[in-house]
Amino acid sequence: MALSNDVRVPCTGKMHRSLPLLQRLALFSLVVLFFLHTCCYGDVGTAARYAPPYLPTTCYGSDTSEFPSSNLFAVSGDGIWDNGAACGRQYLVRCISASIRDACSANQTIQIKIVDYINGIPSPPSAQNTTMVLSSTAFAAIANLTTNSPAINIEFQQV
């Protein structure tokens, strides 16, 4: 007796091919998983901003050569500090929402470098207990400063 992919459907007497349906479902599932993996890539947190002076830092002291020339850098909050291992880490960061309407700049993602720890910064942040505190330049790149939002909700991913 030869094996076949054909299955007789009860009550109708018609032949049905079940294997192609399973293949289509498997392919559909893979496409959905791929889409979910690529569209949502990071953790969610909050960010505040701080202004100069930026030195000295917990990570690099007074060494200005460790600051990116773009001035896109940040201070680590407790959630990502990891006992100092966060020093030098780089993150992709984008604003996703804020308590003030239109505070986010649409479709703006920046790459920042962690240069300090929240408890060591020489100037006060615009909000307390945030995941990270961005330099004025970094904050302005992803948020609309005219709204005067003290903090924004961010999506971030280590690079």
Side-chain angles (χ1 to χ4, degrees):
M1 175 181 225
L3 294 177
S4 169
N5 290 334
D6 295 336
V7 177
R8 188 168 298 277
V9 177
C11 301
T12 64
K14 295 182 181 179
M15 298 300 284
H16 179 69
R17 297 191 64 79
S18 61
L19 189 57
L21 176 62
L22 291 176
Q23 287 174 336
R24 285 190 297 256
L25 285 173
L27 181 60
F28 178 74
S29 297
L30 287 173
V31 169
V32 168
L33 286 174
F34 176 77
F35 175 73
L36 289 175
H37 177 69
T38 58
C39 77
C40 307
Y41 65 90
D43 293 315
V44 175
T46 54
R49 68 177 178 272
Y50 76 122
Y54 297 124
L55 294 174
T57 71
T58 304
C59 297
Y60 306 113
S62 294
D63 186 0
T64 58
S65 69
E66 292 297 331
F67 283 76
S69 59
S70 63
N71 286 324
L72 299 177
F73 56 88
V75 169
S76 169
D78 290 324
I80 61 173
W81 178 240
D82 198 17
N83 291 321
C87 288
R89 283 185 188 156
Q90 297 196 28
Y91 291 92
L92 293 175
V93 180
R94 73 181 184 101
C95 180
I96 54 175
S97 68
S99 60
I100 298 173
R101 187 173 177 208
D102 298 326
C104 292
S105 297
N107 301 318
Q108 294 295 318
T109 300
I110 58 171
Q111 184 169 332
I112 57 97
K113 179 180 180 180
I114 299 295
V115 297
D116 206 345
Y117 177 52
I118 188 69
N119 290 340
I121 60 175
S123 61
S126 59
Q128 300 295 320
N129 302 316
T130 58
T131 308
M132 60 181 68
V133 180
L134 302 171
S135 67
S136 295
T137 304
F139 195 89
I142 60 172
N144 182 355
L145 293 180
T146 60
T147 62
N148 289 324
S149 180
I152 56 174
N153 297 312
I154 58 169
E155 182 176 54
F156 64 99
Q157 177 188 22
Q158 187 177 343
V159 226

